[in-house]
Structure formats: structure tokens, C-alpha cells
């Protein structure tokens, strides 16, 4: 009995010396107790927990986009897409790197046959098919696949030290996940050609001037700004926000005539929603709208 008591006291003393567990961030909640991610941190945040926050978490490789990471990203986005509480999503990395590119070690020994028959990188398109608005909060490097991932998002906020680039030419290849297409549409042919053909990077300020990013913030304020924007988006009708996103994307991806047709169709469709009626009624009655996503 005495020996058992001494062992218990030693255990208690050792436990007392352990550091306390880390305090959870205020307003942030783990996304799902059942979800496990090796390369991501996935949470819900905001005053109403209406923002899905995905942080790329592969620091030893500067968040290089390996197959495992992209599979997890697709799974996290699917979960947030189906979550009625989430109205907007933020994707970010670390202060040093949003994502430094695709995982070159995974790609190094691939053959044409493997790439073509296996649809290499086809799964990356999941990001661009999500109907809820996505904000990329970019600090540090957004190169190659990292730049392509940011451009798949709907809004790009950048930290003042961010760098964007498509350096694939330096590796003897070309962008394969939208770098030659989305970049050209965002910044124009001349700058896109220069970046793709030389591998040169542009700064956050240059990216904003060219139209690639919408706003630039101090490094430490970037994520808060992105979450604030996402909360503002999420406070509106989620149903109508999806329609607005689809319409803007039509301008990016189709002709003017086709885009106008899409806009009119979606504009008319809002008149079949309860949120359109509530929004206009609230405006007339000079009160805040209470959207129910119906």
C-alpha cells in the first residue's frame, strides 16, 4: 500500500511540472471532431462561426502542394460546402509561405503516360468549383502551384511581403493548373508572358497594381482582414452569394453576350427566393435584413 501511494505521489508531482495545454484561440473552433488532417488546420471562426478557415500546414516544405495535401483540401472544402453555417471560406498558409509550389519530388519521375492517363492535377480544380466564396490570404511565397491555388479563389488578399510567380519554365516545364490561363485573364497578356517565360516574381504591390490581388495589408493584419471580409460576405444570403459568384465568373470565363445572358438569368432567379423579398422589404422598412438562405 505504501509503495503504491509513493508511486501515485510521484506521478502527481510529474504531472504538476508539465506545461499547461495551449489556450484555444477566441472565436475559433475545430471544424469537426471526427475529421483528421495531416497537412491542414481546419476550423470555423468569426463571431457567428460562419467562416471556414483552412490553413495549409506543411511548414518543412514551405507548404508545397503534395497529392496528400490537395486531397485533404478537397475533403475540407466539400465539408464546408455542405455546412449550412459556413457562408465563406478563407485559405491561408504561414507568414513565410502561402504555398511555394507543387511538390517537385512527387513530379520528378512522372512520365507523359502517367500524367495523361491519370489526369495529373485534375483534382486541383475542386477549389474553383466550390459555390461558396473563397478568399486567399497570401503571405510570403505564392509560386507555381501556390500562385495557381490563389488564383482559383474568388478574392486574393496579400500581405505586403507576398511574392507571386510562375517559375515552371526554370524547371523545364510550364504551369499545369491554370497558370497560363487565369494569370493572363487577371493581369493581361504582356505581364503574364513575362512572368511565365522568365520565371520572375512580382511583389504584392505589383500584383495589386496589375489587378491580381484586391488589397494589400501588413503581414500581421492580413488574416484578420480576410476573415472580416469573409464574415461580411457570410452575413448576406448564401443562396444569392452563390448566384453572384456564378455571374462574376461568367464574365471571367465566357463572352460578353454569354455573360450577360447568365447575369439576366440569375438576376431573374433571385425573384424566386425568400431572401430577395426579405432584402427589399427590409430596405423599404429601413431595418436590417434577416436572410434565411431560402
Amino acid at each position: 500500500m505504501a509503495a503504491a501511494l509513493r508511486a501515485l505521489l510521484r506521478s502527481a508531482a510529474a504531472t504538476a511540472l508539465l506545461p499547461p495545454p495551449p489556450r484555444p484561440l477566441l472565436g475559433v473552433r475545430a471544424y469537426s471532431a471526427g475529421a483528421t488532417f495531416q497537412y491542414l488546420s481546419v476550423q470555423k471562426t468569426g463571431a457567428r462561426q460562419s467562416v471556414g478557415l483552412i490553413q495549409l500546414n506543411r511548414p518543412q516544405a514551405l507548404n508545397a502542394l503534395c497529392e496528400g495535401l490537395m486531397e485533404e483540401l478537397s475533403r475540407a472544402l466539400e465539408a464546408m460546402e455542405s455546412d449550412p453555417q459556413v457562408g465563406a471560406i478563407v485559405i491561408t498558409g504561414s507568414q513565410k509561405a502561402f504555398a511555394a509550389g507543387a511538390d517537385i519530388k512527387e513530379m520528378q519521375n512522372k512520365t507523359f503516360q502517367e500524367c495523361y492517363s491519370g489526369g495529373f492535377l485534375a483534382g486541383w480544380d475542386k477549389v474553383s468549383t466550390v459555390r461558396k466564396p473563397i478568399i486567399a490570404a497570401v503571405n510570403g511565397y505564392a509560386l507555381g502551384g501556390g500562385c495557381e491555388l490563389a488564383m482559383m479563389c474568388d478574392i486574393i488578399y496579400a500581405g505586403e511581403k507576398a511574392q507571386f510567380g510562375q517559375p515552371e519554365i526554370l524547371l523545364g516545364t510550364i504551369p499545369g493548373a491554370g497558370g497560363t490561363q487565369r494569370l493572363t485573364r487577371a493581369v493581361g497578356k504582356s505581364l503574364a508572358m513575362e512572368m511565365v517565360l522568365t520565371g520572375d516574381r512580382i511583389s504584392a504591390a505589383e500584383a495589386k497594381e496589375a489587378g491580381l490581388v484586391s488589397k494589400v495589408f501588413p503581414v500581421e493584419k492580413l488574416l484578420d482582414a480576410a476573415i472580416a471580409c469573409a464574415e461580411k460576405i457570410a452575413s448576406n444570403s448564401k443562396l444569392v452569394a452563390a448566384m453572384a459568384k456564378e455571374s462574376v465568373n461568367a464574365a471571367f470565363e465566357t463572352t460578353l453576350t454569354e455573360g450577360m445572358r447568365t447575369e439576366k438569368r440569375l438576376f431573374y432567379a433571385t425573384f424566386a427566393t425568400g431572401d430577395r423579398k426579405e432584402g427589399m422589404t427590409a430596405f423599404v422598412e429601413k431595418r436590417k435584413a434577416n436572410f434565411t438562405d431560402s
Side-chain angles (χ1 to χ4, degrees):
M1 176 70 72
L5 179 60
R6 285 195 297 270
L8 180 62
L9 291 174
R10 283 197 300 270
S11 175
T15 301
L17 294 175
L18 292 175
R23 295 174 59 190
L25 295 175
L26 293 178
V28 176
R29 184 171 73 186
Y31 188 72
S32 170
T36 56
F37 298 97
Q38 180 180 355
Y39 302 114
L40 303 177
S41 172
V42 182
Q43 303 165 325
K44 287 198 289 192
T45 187
R48 297 186 176 183
Q49 298 288 295
S50 60
V51 176
L53 176 60
I54 301 174
Q55 182 174 17
L56 310 184
N57 187 28
R58 199 182 174 211
Q60 74 281 4
L62 295 178
N63 292 331
L65 304 174
C66 62
E67 291 182 7
L69 188 154
M70 294 306 294
E71 289 171 1
E72 289 186 3
L73 180 58
S74 178
R75 182 155 48 92
L77 288 170
E78 286 177 0
M80 290 180 177
E81 183 84 298
S82 62
D83 188 333
Q85 189 177 17
V86 172
I89 301 165
V90 174
I91 299 178
T92 192
S94 66
Q95 290 192 357
K96 188 173 183 180
F98 176 73
D103 192 318
I104 304 305
K105 291 181 180 179
E106 283 187 349
M107 299 170 63
Q108 182 180 4
N109 296 317
K110 285 188 177 293
T111 65
F112 163 76
Q113 289 84 353
E114 287 176 312
C115 292
Y116 188 80
S117 61
F120 183 49
L121 302 185
W124 287 35
D125 291 338
K126 173 62 182 178
V127 181
S128 62
T129 63
V130 172
R131 301 183 75 179
K132 293 180 179 178
I134 304 177
I135 301 172
V138 178
N139 266 322
Y141 302 118
L143 306 177
C147 187
E148 290 171 314
L149 174 59
M151 290 189 293
M152 291 178 202
C153 300
D154 303 302
I155 299 170
I156 303 178
Y157 277 8
E160 57 193 358
K161 295 183 180 179
Q163 297 182 42
F164 299 84
Q166 298 291 162
E168 288 87 349
I169 193 77
L170 306 178
L171 303 177
T173 187
I174 70 171
T180 64
Q181 303 302 303
R182 291 189 177 94
L183 184 63
T184 305
R185 286 166 168 77
V187 306
K189 178 182 175 182
S190 183
L191 180 56
M193 277 288 192
E194 181 181 7
M195 293 174 66
V196 170
L197 294 178
T198 66
D200 288 348
R201 308 170 187 173
I202 59 174
S203 67
E206 291 170 325
K208 183 178 186 304
E209 183 180 1
L212 182 59
V213 308
S214 58
K215 292 181 180 178
V216 177
F217 298 90
V219 170
E220 67 279 3
K221 294 183 179 180
L222 170 67
L223 185 56
D224 287 342
I227 291 172
C229 179
E231 281 193 281
K232 189 172 185 179
I233 292 170
S235 70
N236 297 316
S237 166
K238 298 177 182 64
L239 179 62
V240 177
M243 294 179 180
K245 172 174 173 172
E246 182 181 346
S247 188
V248 173
N249 279 335
F252 196 67
E253 298 169 356
T254 65
T255 66
L256 177 60
T257 299
E258 292 170 336
M260 289 297 296
R261 188 178 299 118
T262 297
E263 182 185 77
K264 280 292 190 294
R265 174 177 57 83
L266 292 168
F267 170 64
Y268 296 153
T270 66
F271 283 78
T273 69
D275 283 345
R276 192 282 313 169
K277 184 175 182 179
E278 164 62 13
M280 291 189 177
T281 301
F283 178 82
V284 171
E285 295 178 353
K286 297 182 179 180
R287 61 176 174 80
K288 185 177 180 180
N290 180 29
F291 296 121
T292 60
D293 307 314
S294 62

